[in-house]
Amino acid sequence: MRRRVEHARTLLETTTQPIKAIARTTGYEDESSFRKAFRKLTLMSPQAYRARRMERTM
């Protein structure tokens, strides 16, 4: 699970792909499972993670 979430973090930082597409790309069957796994490891939602990373680059 950790490896998939790390890959998702990279995609969230470097692409504008929708969350749903990133979930599929990283091997999750649905967006809900992806969100739960992501939040468990990062303590934030994928959307919040992307927004926070975007703030730091501006």
Side-chain angles (χ1 to χ4, degrees), residues 1-2 5-6 10 12 14 16 18-20 24 29-30 33 35-36 39 41 43 45 47-48 53-54 56 58:
M1 176 171 61
R2 184 172 299 277
V5 170
E6 288 299 322
T10 300
L12 288 165
T14 61
T16 58
I19 304 298
K20 189 173 188 174
R24 276 189 252 122
E29 288 187 27
D30 59 61
S33 298
R35 289 176 193 273
K36 287 178 187 175
R39 184 179 291 275
L41 291 176
L43 304 178
S45 70
Q47 294 87 347
R53 296 300 293 183
M54 295 301 284
R56 290 183 180 178
M58 294 184 148

Side-chain angles (χ1 to χ4, degrees), residues 7-55:
H7 183 57
R9 287 172 67 172
T10 300
L11 293 173
L12 288 165
E13 293 170 15
T14 61
T15 72
T16 58
Q17 290 182 38
I19 304 298
K20 189 173 188 174
I22 291 174
R24 276 189 252 122
T25 299
T26 54
Y28 289 91
E29 288 187 27
D30 59 61
E31 195 173 346
S32 176
S33 298
F34 169 66
R35 289 176 193 273
K36 287 178 187 175
F38 193 91
R39 184 179 291 275
K40 184 176 182 179
L41 291 176
T42 65
L43 304 178
M44 64 178 60
S45 70
Q47 294 87 347
Y49 182 83
R50 178 176 267 167
R52 187 172 177 190
R53 296 300 293 183
M54 295 301 284
E55 282 178 7

